[in-house]
Amino acid sequence: MEENKELIQVDIFGLSLSSTVSGGGYAIILKEVSGEKRLPIIIGQFEAQAIALELEGIKPPRPLTHDLLKNIIELLGYNVECVIIYDLRDSTFYAKIKFDIPTIDDIDARPSDAIAVALKFGAPIYVSVSIMEEIGFIQEYENKENESKENPGINDIGKQINGSNEPDTAEKKLKQLKLDLDAAVSM
Protein backbone atom coordinates (compact mmCIF):
# COMPACT_ATOMS: atom_id res chain seq x y z
CA MET A 1 0.00 0.00 0.00
CA GLU A 2 1.29 3.43 -0.84
CA GLU A 3 2.29 5.61 2.12
CA ASN A 4 -0.70 7.52 3.46
CA LYS A 5 -0.09 10.19 6.08
CA GLU A 6 -3.75 10.03 7.17
CA LEU A 7 -3.35 6.43 8.37
CA ILE A 8 -1.44 4.90 11.27
CA GLN A 9 -0.35 1.27 11.17
CA VAL A 10 -1.34 -0.68 14.28
CA ASP A 11 -0.80 -4.14 15.71
CA ILE A 12 -2.96 -6.10 18.09
CA PHE A 13 -1.72 -5.38 21.61
CA GLY A 14 -4.21 -7.61 23.40
CA LEU A 15 -7.73 -8.83 24.03
CA SER A 16 -9.63 -8.15 27.22
CA LEU A 17 -12.99 -8.99 28.69
CA SER A 18 -14.87 -5.72 29.05
CA SER A 19 -17.60 -4.93 31.54
CA THR A 20 -18.50 -1.74 29.67
CA VAL A 21 -20.98 -3.63 27.47
CA SER A 22 -24.15 -4.96 29.08
CA GLY A 23 -23.90 -8.72 29.32
CA GLY A 24 -20.14 -8.46 28.93
CA GLY A 25 -18.15 -8.09 25.78
CA TYR A 26 -14.59 -8.10 24.64
CA ALA A 27 -12.23 -5.32 23.72
CA ILE A 28 -9.41 -5.61 21.26
CA ILE A 29 -6.57 -3.21 21.98
CA LEU A 30 -4.73 -1.90 18.94
CA LYS A 31 -1.36 -0.16 19.39
CA GLU A 32 0.55 2.08 17.02
CA VAL A 33 3.48 0.30 15.37
CA SER A 34 5.59 3.48 15.52
CA GLY A 35 4.20 5.01 18.69
CA GLU A 36 2.62 4.45 22.07
CA LYS A 37 -1.05 5.26 21.48
CA ARG A 38 -3.59 2.51 21.96
CA LEU A 39 -7.12 2.16 20.69
CA PRO A 40 -9.75 -0.07 22.34
CA ILE A 41 -12.57 -1.43 20.17
CA ILE A 42 -15.44 -3.41 21.68
CA ILE A 43 -16.08 -6.63 19.75
CA GLY A 44 -18.32 -9.66 20.06
CA GLN A 45 -17.49 -12.95 21.72
CA PHE A 46 -17.23 -14.98 18.51
CA GLU A 47 -14.96 -12.46 16.82
CA ALA A 48 -12.81 -12.28 19.96
CA GLN A 49 -12.51 -16.07 19.95
CA ALA A 50 -11.60 -16.14 16.24
CA ILE A 51 -8.94 -13.47 16.74
CA ALA A 52 -7.57 -15.14 19.87
CA LEU A 53 -7.36 -18.53 18.13
CA GLU A 54 -5.40 -16.97 15.27
CA LEU A 55 -3.09 -15.07 17.64
CA GLU A 56 -2.42 -18.28 19.58
CA GLY A 57 -1.83 -20.24 16.36
CA ILE A 58 -4.63 -22.70 17.20
CA LYS A 59 -6.14 -24.36 14.13
CA PRO A 60 -9.68 -25.66 14.69
CA PRO A 61 -10.50 -29.06 13.17
CA ARG A 62 -12.99 -27.46 10.74
CA PRO A 63 -12.76 -24.03 9.06
CA LEU A 64 -14.39 -21.18 10.95
CA THR A 65 -16.09 -18.25 9.19
CA HIS A 66 -12.90 -16.22 8.65
CA ASP A 67 -11.08 -19.32 7.38
CA LEU A 68 -13.91 -19.80 4.87
CA LEU A 69 -13.62 -16.18 3.73
CA LYS A 70 -9.87 -16.56 3.26
CA ASN A 71 -10.33 -19.76 1.26
CA ILE A 72 -12.93 -18.15 -1.04
CA ILE A 73 -10.86 -14.99 -1.58
CA GLU A 74 -7.78 -17.05 -2.44
CA LEU A 75 -9.77 -19.41 -4.66
CA LEU A 76 -10.90 -16.38 -6.67
CA GLY A 77 -7.23 -15.40 -7.08
CA TYR A 78 -7.17 -12.37 -4.78
CA ASN A 79 -5.25 -11.32 -1.71
CA VAL A 80 -6.03 -8.84 1.08
CA GLU A 81 -3.62 -5.90 0.88
CA CYS A 82 -4.67 -4.25 4.16
CA VAL A 83 -7.51 -3.37 6.49
CA ILE A 84 -8.41 0.23 7.31
CA ILE A 85 -10.47 1.41 10.27
CA TYR A 86 -11.46 4.71 8.76
CA ASP A 87 -14.41 6.23 10.63
CA LEU A 88 -16.16 6.51 13.99
CA ARG A 89 -19.77 7.64 14.00
CA ASP A 90 -22.24 7.38 16.89
CA SER A 91 -19.84 5.14 18.82
CA THR A 92 -19.57 2.74 15.88
CA PHE A 93 -16.29 2.05 14.09
CA TYR A 94 -16.24 1.55 10.32
CA ALA A 95 -13.66 -0.52 8.49
CA LYS A 96 -12.90 -1.67 4.98
CA ILE A 97 -10.92 -4.49 3.47
CA LYS A 98 -8.63 -3.46 0.62
CA PHE A 99 -7.61 -6.02 -1.99
CA ASP A 100 -4.40 -6.22 -4.02
CA ILE A 101 -6.33 -5.66 -7.28
CA PRO A 102 -7.14 -1.95 -7.89
CA THR A 103 -10.21 -2.81 -9.99
CA ILE A 104 -11.95 -4.33 -6.95
CA ASP A 105 -13.69 -1.87 -4.64
CA ASP A 106 -12.87 -1.92 -0.95
CA ILE A 107 -15.36 -3.99 1.02
CA ASP A 108 -17.18 -2.53 4.02
CA ALA A 109 -16.73 -4.65 7.17
CA ARG A 110 -17.05 -4.54 10.91
CA PRO A 111 -13.62 -3.83 12.40
CA SER A 112 -13.63 -7.15 14.28
CA ASP A 113 -14.23 -9.14 11.08
CA ALA A 114 -11.76 -7.01 9.11
CA ILE A 115 -9.08 -7.57 11.78
CA ALA A 116 -9.73 -11.33 11.80
CA VAL A 117 -9.39 -11.42 7.99
CA ALA A 118 -6.20 -9.31 8.15
CA LEU A 119 -4.73 -11.84 10.59
CA LYS A 120 -5.63 -14.72 8.26
CA PHE A 121 -3.79 -13.02 5.38
CA GLY A 122 -0.95 -11.51 7.40
CA ALA A 123 -2.11 -8.10 6.13
CA PRO A 124 -1.36 -4.82 7.92
CA ILE A 125 -4.05 -2.98 9.88
CA TYR A 126 -4.37 0.80 9.67
CA VAL A 127 -6.38 3.33 11.69
CA SER A 128 -7.29 6.83 10.58
CA VAL A 129 -5.24 9.56 12.25
CA SER A 130 -8.45 11.36 13.23
CA ILE A 131 -9.74 8.32 15.16
CA MET A 132 -6.42 7.84 16.95
CA GLU A 133 -6.32 11.54 17.88
CA GLU A 134 -9.92 11.47 19.10
CA ILE A 135 -9.93 8.37 21.31
CA GLY A 136 -6.45 6.86 21.27
CA PHE A 137 -4.66 6.93 24.61
CA ILE A 138 -1.15 6.51 25.95
CA GLN A 139 -0.97 4.10 28.86
CA GLU A 140 0.92 5.43 31.85
CA TYR A 141 2.53 2.75 33.98
CA GLU A 142 2.47 3.46 37.69
CA ASN A 143 4.22 0.28 38.73
CA LYS A 144 6.18 -1.49 36.01
CA GLU A 145 7.12 -4.29 38.43
CA ASN A 146 3.50 -5.52 38.40
CA GLU A 147 3.49 -6.00 34.62
CA SER A 148 3.21 -9.58 33.47
CA LYS A 149 6.25 -10.59 31.42
CA GLU A 150 4.07 -12.95 29.37
CA ASN A 151 1.58 -10.22 28.45
CA PRO A 152 2.97 -6.72 29.15
CA GLY A 153 0.54 -4.20 30.53
CA ILE A 154 -2.40 -6.58 30.91
CA ASN A 155 -3.24 -5.27 34.38
CA ASP A 156 -3.22 -1.68 33.11
CA ILE A 157 -5.35 -2.62 30.11
CA GLY A 158 -7.91 -4.16 32.44
CA LYS A 159 -8.01 -0.96 34.49
CA GLN A 160 -8.40 1.17 31.38
CA ILE A 161 -11.17 -0.96 29.87
CA ASN A 162 -12.98 -2.06 33.01
CA GLY A 163 -12.36 0.89 35.29
CA SER A 164 -11.17 -1.50 37.98
CA ASN A 165 -8.48 -0.70 40.50
CA GLU A 166 -7.89 -4.37 41.30
CA PRO A 167 -4.59 -5.34 39.65
CA ASP A 168 -5.61 -8.96 39.08
CA THR A 169 -9.05 -8.29 37.54
CA ALA A 170 -7.73 -8.28 33.97
CA GLU A 171 -5.64 -11.37 34.67
CA LYS A 172 -8.72 -13.23 35.96
CA LYS A 173 -10.71 -12.16 32.93
CA LEU A 174 -7.91 -13.20 30.58
CA LYS A 175 -7.89 -16.63 32.21
CA GLN A 176 -11.68 -16.81 31.73
CA LEU A 177 -11.26 -15.83 28.06
CA LYS A 178 -8.75 -18.67 27.62
CA LEU A 179 -11.20 -21.09 29.27
CA ASP A 180 -13.97 -19.86 26.95
CA LEU A 181 -11.67 -20.31 23.96
CA ASP A 182 -10.76 -23.85 25.03
CA ALA A 183 -14.46 -24.65 25.41
CA ALA A 184 -15.26 -23.21 21.97
CA VAL A 185 -12.46 -25.19 20.31
CA SER A 186 -13.56 -28.45 21.92
CA MET A 187 -17.16 -28.10 20.62
Side-chain angles (χ1 to χ4, degrees):
M1 177 175 176
E2 62 193 52
E3 187 66 28
N4 186 333
K5 299 208 185 305
E6 297 299 314
L7 298 175
I8 297 170
Q9 186 173 357
V10 295
D11 280 333
I12 296 172
F13 182 74
L15 281 170
S16 176
L17 187 60
S18 173
S19 61
T20 60
V21 178
S22 67
Y26 293 85
I28 187 165
I29 310 297
L30 301 175
K31 182 183 174 295
E32 291 177 307
V33 169
S34 300
E36 292 300 315
K37 277 193 176 177
R38 298 176 190 171
L39 177 71
I41 299 176
I42 303 300
I43 63 175
Q45 176 183 0
F46 297 113
E47 293 80 9
Q49 288 176 343
I51 290 168
L53 287 172
E54 190 65 27
L55 290 173
E56 293 291 325
I58 299 170
K59 300 293 180 211
R62 301 286 299 138
L64 298 177
T65 304
H66 300 101
D67 298 307
L68 175 63
L69 284 171
K70 180 180 190 263
N71 293 341
I72 291 170
I73 292 167
E74 287 179 333
L75 184 66
L76 294 172
Y78 304 120
N79 191 28
V80 171
E81 181 179 325
C82 68
V83 163
I84 302 169
I85 301 168
Y86 66 92
D87 200 6
L88 174 63
R89 285 179 269 156
D90 300 323
S91 301
T92 301
F93 288 95
Y94 290 81
K96 57 187 171 184
I97 299 171
K98 185 173 183 60
F99 291 94
D100 60 346
I101 310 286
T103 56
I104 297 177
D105 291 337
D106 299 342
I107 295 180
D108 183 39
R110 297 181 304 173
S112 56
D113 289 326
I115 290 167
V117 168
L119 285 174
K120 292 288 178 190
F121 280 91
I125 302 165
Y126 295 95
V127 173
S128 136
V129 169
S130 62
I131 291 173
M132 198 59 89
E133 287 175 353
E134 183 179 343
I135 60 172
F137 67 93
I138 296 176
Q139 184 66 51
E140 295 179 19
Y141 295 104
E142 293 175 9
N143 186 354
K144 290 193 177 201
E145 294 169 8
N146 286 338
E147 289 181 37
S148 166
K149 290 180 182 176
E150 186 177 320
N151 195 347
I154 192 69
N155 292 334
D156 293 325
I157 291 170
K159 287 179 194 175
Q160 180 71 29
I161 301 284
N162 300 313
S164 169
N165 289 325
E166 297 178 35
D168 63 344
T169 300
E171 234 170 67
K172 288 178 186 174
K173 291 182 179 185
L174 182 61
K175 286 179 185 175
Q176 183 60 48
L177 174 60
K178 288 182 180 181
L179 291 171
D180 291 346
L181 289 172
D182 290 341
V185 170
S186 65
M187 290 182 169

